[in-house]
Amino acid sequence: MPLPWLLAAQPEVFRGKFLVPDALPDRLSYREPLRRRLRVRFAGEWIADSEDAILLHTPGRFPVAYFPATDVRVELLEFRQRTTLHPDLGKTAWFAVRVGDRVHEGAAWQHVRPPAHAAEFANLVAFSWRAMDGFQEEDEPVTAHAADPYHRIDVRNASREVLVEMDGRVVAKSRRSRVLYESDREPQWYLPRADVDETALSEETLRTRCPYKGVATYYAIGGRSGAAWSYADAPAESAAVAGFVAFDPNKLGVYVDGKRLHHMLGRGGAKAGLDRAFASGR
């Protein structure tokens, strides 16, 4: 089920709620075993490899993977006398990662003085997702951040008419779309390129990365940046929309059987965690 801070990040109309008499705590962190083999690669070397990684969920953040120090090549970590204070786990030491002549500052960290109820984190090490060359679950790459086991993707074929227009111009029209249902987000309608007027699309340099859908390419339409996007090489759970195009109802008229879609509520409420905020220690 969705965790409480993900629910709280969404407007009332779009979220569920816990049926409890009292308010949930303002901060509620949660740890659990990842239960998957996770590996980290840097400068051509595997620097961490574990089947016992721990996933940490903190309010409003994407989950972060921590590795037992025994499964990390700790000889490649160099402490720089730099520490920060984590709101839940206390004093945090930051390390550079060095392999041969290649070094990346602030690429790993450890909570050296966690509170008693989280004492295990003193023996765990985490890595910046952006600083590393890659993370893999078994032999499959994971992009952007650690995958959340409570985050689900379902894709369904749909024969309803989907019409996309801008200022009276039909940009796309299809009865063979695919609807992507994703945890904590509204349904997204993806249309086959054969049903899209590609002369209306202007490819942009913007790319975003998602562990569940892959790398998105964005398109401007009529000068409206980010009005459409597509995943060329989506992973297995969302492969059914690979190559299809989705449109932003905030920027275009998107109609399903004549009913205009509501504006999108935002693509998730979570923010990057420490694993993507390397060097600054945010």
Side-chain angles (χ1 to χ4, degrees):
M1 67 180 180
L3 295 173
W5 51 86
L6 294 181
L7 295 175
Q10 298 295 332
E12 184 71 30
V13 69
F14 192 62
R15 67 184 188 190
K17 63 179 180 179
F18 287 94
L19 300 178
V20 293
D22 300 316
L24 293 170
D26 290 336
R27 285 191 65 86
L28 182 63
S29 294
Y30 175 73
R31 57 79 73 199
E32 64 179 323
L34 181 60
R35 301 185 184 89
R36 306 179 188 188
R37 182 191 183 193
L38 187 64
R39 300 188 288 171
V40 185
R41 194 169 183 84
F42 181 74
E45 300 279 348
W46 294 108
I47 65 172
D49 186 339
S50 183
E51 295 185 52
D52 298 307
I54 296 297
L55 205 59
L56 175 67
H57 302 265
T58 54
R61 300 285 180 176
F62 293 122
V64 177
Y66 285 78
F67 294 81
T70 52
D71 293 336
V72 174
R73 294 180 59 186
V74 293
E75 73 276 9
L76 303 177
L77 307 184
E78 299 178 356
F79 181 49
R80 295 294 199 235
Q81 301 299 320
R82 175 174 175 268
T83 62
T84 58
L85 190 64
H86 189 279
D88 301 312
L89 299 174
K91 186 177 180 180
T92 302
W94 291 79
F95 301 86
V97 175
R98 180 185 295 276
V99 174
D101 294 331
R102 186 174 168 195
V103 60
H104 206 302
E105 300 292 337
W109 68 92
Q110 182 179 23
H111 303 294
V112 293
R113 294 179 185 171
H117 63 268
E120 66 190 289
F121 279 87
N123 299 312
L124 302 176
V125 177
F127 296 90
S128 163
W129 220 266
R130 290 177 174 174
M132 298 297 99
D133 294 340
F135 286 71
Q136 290 187 1
E137 289 182 355
E138 292 294 346
D139 296 330
E140 296 293 327
V142 182
T143 61
H145 58 83
D148 186 341
Y150 302 101
H151 196 104
R152 178 168 176 157
I153 297 278
D154 292 290
V155 180
R156 300 290 183 260
N157 290 316
S159 59
R160 289 193 277 172
E161 182 183 85
V162 180
L163 173 69
V164 182
E165 63 87 22
M166 186 191 68
D167 299 333
R169 177 184 179 180
V170 175
V171 175
K173 185 177 181 180
S174 182
R175 283 191 174 274
R176 46 183 185 159
S177 61
R178 291 174 179 171
V179 193
L180 186 145
Y181 299 99
E182 182 171 5
S183 301
D184 83 344
R185 305 184 186 185
E186 65 286 292
Q188 296 293 319
W189 296 77
Y190 285 77
L191 279 61
R193 284 187 177 269
D195 296 342
V196 176
D197 178 2
E198 296 214 45
T199 65
L201 307 184
S202 178
E203 185 173 333
E204 300 182 289
T205 58
L206 175 64
R207 300 289 186 271
T208 59
R209 289 165 172 77
C210 170
Y212 320 107
K213 302 188 296 293
V215 179
T217 298
Y218 286 82
Y219 302 91
I221 298 177
R224 300 175 189 178
S225 180
W229 63 92
S230 181
Y231 294 91
D233 188 20
E237 59 266 40
S238 51
V241 299
F244 281 48
V245 182
F247 298 88
D248 188 342
N250 292 347
K251 300 176 180 180
L252 304 168
V254 182
Y255 300 84
V256 178
D257 277 351
K259 182 179 179 180
R260 186 164 186 169
L261 295 185
H262 297 295
H263 283 197
M264 294 199 306
L265 299 173
R267 295 174 191 145
K271 299 178 181 179
L274 288 179
D275 59 335
R276 294 185 65 199
F278 64 91
S280 67
R282 291 172 292 168

